[in-house]
Amino acid sequence: MAKKEAWGLRTRFTSLIALFVAGLIVIVVSVSRKTGIWVENPMVCERAVGESTTSPCDLFSGRWVFDNESYPLYSERQCTYMSDQLACEKFGRRDLEYQNWRWQPHQCNLPRFNATALLERLRGKRLVFVGDSLNRGQWVSMVCLLESSIPTTHKSMHTNGSLTTFKALEYNASVEFYWAPLLVESNSDDPVVHRVPERIVRAESIIKHARHWTGADILVFNSYLWWRREKMNIWWGSIEENDGIYKEMEMLRGYEMALRTWSYWLEAHVDPTRTQVFFISMSPTHQKGGDWGASREQNCYSETEPITKGRYRHNATDDQMMKIITTTINGLRERDTNVQIINITRLSENRKEGHPSIYRKQWEPLTEEQLLNPRSYADCIHWCLPGVPDVWNELLYAYIFSK
């Protein structure tokens, strides 16, 4: 009898401990989702060798592995729609190892990108990228990943203002890019002439843009780089007619207002049962060598290898912007509108060699001073293709097929 009582006490004690641990996990996850930065639902993918088949996988935590057998996923020269801004080999780059790095999550493997499978998923549908030139680079990457599987006569490209559409005709599928660098309306909305020194933003107006992506089946947003200044002019009224009032505000406040407008539009116009929505986190730049322990004068120019030692130091403002994004998206989820963050920030930080540097089309003639100092005109913002944005699309691919 005493043994049975002891066994019963042990059983109840074990049950209480299990309940306590389970409750603690729920509390931690709940707090993390509300206050943490980039805390996402883990995904169960193909397990890496030796890993548990039930443990969750964080696709955004991993390492870069050199792989010149299965990467790159396509050829720069064979991509019909490659952009001259991203075609580094075409414009003279000879060290091409930046094309051979594969992202390896710590606990699992990314599913291999299958163009035919994605085209079947997109049959009769629209995949729309919305944002700035970094989002456009990811769109070009996606087009290059897909178009090699499509006969020449079964694909097309068309531009109408801010909207550029790639069509896979056999699948009645479109992969589109819409230029809206600040998401909401601004004086930088022209897809060609947009490098204005004074940014003016209508932080509460998005319909001008949103009507072009309404009804899309998959939406991929980004907005970061064009906000990178201390102050922003927030406008109420018509920018074209110069009719209204504006106020100079702290950038973070304007960013918060714009994302709130964006979130309200999503809540009102997106059906979460049929549309997948993604937000691409901030793409790091490598303009200051001090960010990765090099000299202050150094940037991505002449870099040929990823960062393998030390840690990239991102700006504190970046963290504040990331927190605004996380808070906005958590608010949407609480209102039953799911947006999945694709966290490309940390994994891209180590790829200081992946930028075009001087190997790209120059849209304006270089000055004599620039020619004497190539580092002064190196592009350390955008990314060569094939390259880092292909991995962003592999992550996107994994989440598209997770539904």
Side-chain angles (χ1 to χ4, degrees), residues 91-336:
F91 287 93
R93 185 163 181 175
R94 295 293 172 261
D95 60 299
L96 303 181
E97 287 79 10
Y98 65 86
Q99 301 180 0
N100 301 122
W101 290 91
R102 170 172 57 84
W103 178 247
Q104 177 61 59
H106 286 313
Q107 297 175 311
C108 58
N109 297 317
L110 270 174
R112 179 76 175 178
F113 191 96
N114 185 318
T116 304
L118 183 54
L119 286 166
E120 282 293 348
R121 175 60 69 97
L122 294 176
R123 186 179 288 275
K125 296 180 179 179
R126 296 173 63 205
L127 164 58
V128 184
F129 291 80
V130 179
D132 59 22
S133 57
L134 290 161
N135 203 307
R136 182 171 57 207
Q138 185 175 354
W139 168 75
V140 173
S141 162
M142 179 62 80
V143 171
C144 290
L145 285 164
L146 292 174
E147 65 104 16
S148 61
S149 300
I150 306 171
T152 302
T153 56
H154 291 185
K155 56 192 173 186
S156 67
M157 185 76 78
H158 175 70
T159 298
N160 182 13
S162 294
L163 182 67
T164 303
T165 302
F166 168 77
K167 279 191 173 291
L169 303 177
E170 180 182 347
Y171 296 88
N172 188 29
S174 65
V175 181
E176 307 168 28
F177 171 73
Y178 185 86
W179 172 263
L182 296 131
L183 292 185
V184 292
E185 187 178 346
S186 76
N187 64 342
S188 297
D189 288 343
D190 189 289
V192 178
V193 184
H194 48 244
R195 295 181 182 179
V196 292
E198 292 293 331
R199 302 276 159 78
I200 302 174
V201 181
R202 292 184 69 192
E204 296 184 338
S205 179
I206 199 170
I207 298 302
K208 171 186 172 183
H209 298 322
R211 61 190 178 90
H212 293 282
W213 65 70
T214 298
D217 300 278
I218 303 174
L219 284 164
V220 184
F221 295 95
N222 89 324
S223 188
Y224 162 65
L225 193 65
W226 284 66
W227 289 94
R228 295 288 293 149
R229 47 189 60 204
E230 292 184 6
K231 302 283 187 178
M232 297 290 281
N233 291 320
I234 307 300
W235 188 276
W236 288 266
S238 171
I239 293 177
E240 291 85 354
E241 298 177 9
N242 198 27
D243 176 23
I245 58 173
Y246 78 90
K247 180 180 180 180
E248 186 180 68
M249 302 178 69
E250 295 290 333
M251 177 275 290
L252 288 171
R253 178 60 179 142
Y255 191 59
E256 184 177 35
M257 291 174 63
L259 285 185
R260 184 176 61 209
T261 299
W262 169 77
S263 72
Y264 288 163
W265 183 87
L266 287 176
E267 185 181 3
H269 297 279
V270 168
D271 179 356
T273 64
R274 66 171 294 270
T275 302
Q276 288 178 281
V277 184
F278 300 93
F279 195 97
I280 307 298
S281 72
M282 291 164 285
S283 173
T285 67
H286 292 87
Q287 297 171 300
K288 300 176 182 178
D291 289 340
W292 64 89
S295 66
R296 292 183 179 181
E297 294 75 23
Q298 178 68 2
N299 59 17
C300 70
Y301 174 69
S302 76
E303 294 289 349
T304 59
E305 296 181 354
I307 299 170
T308 55
K309 296 180 180 179
R311 184 179 178 183
Y312 183 98
R313 296 193 292 271
H314 52 275
N315 191 289
T317 303
D318 298 349
D319 280 342
Q320 292 173 296
M321 295 179 76
M322 291 168 87
K323 189 172 183 179
I324 289 171
I325 295 168
T326 306
T327 300
T328 302
I329 289 176
N330 283 343
L332 276 167
R333 289 172 177 169
E334 291 171 0
R335 304 193 299 275
D336 298 322

Side-chain angles (χ1 to χ4, degrees), residues 23-60:
L24 184 61
I25 290 172
V26 169
I27 292 170
V28 169
V29 171
S30 176
V31 171
S32 297
R33 285 179 63 82
K34 289 182 179 179
T35 62
I37 295 177
W38 305 123
V39 176
E40 287 302 303
N41 292 328
M43 174 180 285
V44 177
C45 289
E46 179 187 348
R47 294 291 117 188
V49 175
E51 291 291 342
S52 166
T53 57
T54 58
S55 60
C57 174
D58 179 1
L59 292 181
F60 312 127

Side-chain angles (χ1 to χ4, degrees), residues 15-25:
S15 298
L16 287 171
I17 291 295
L19 285 171
F20 174 77
V21 171
L24 184 61
I25 290 172

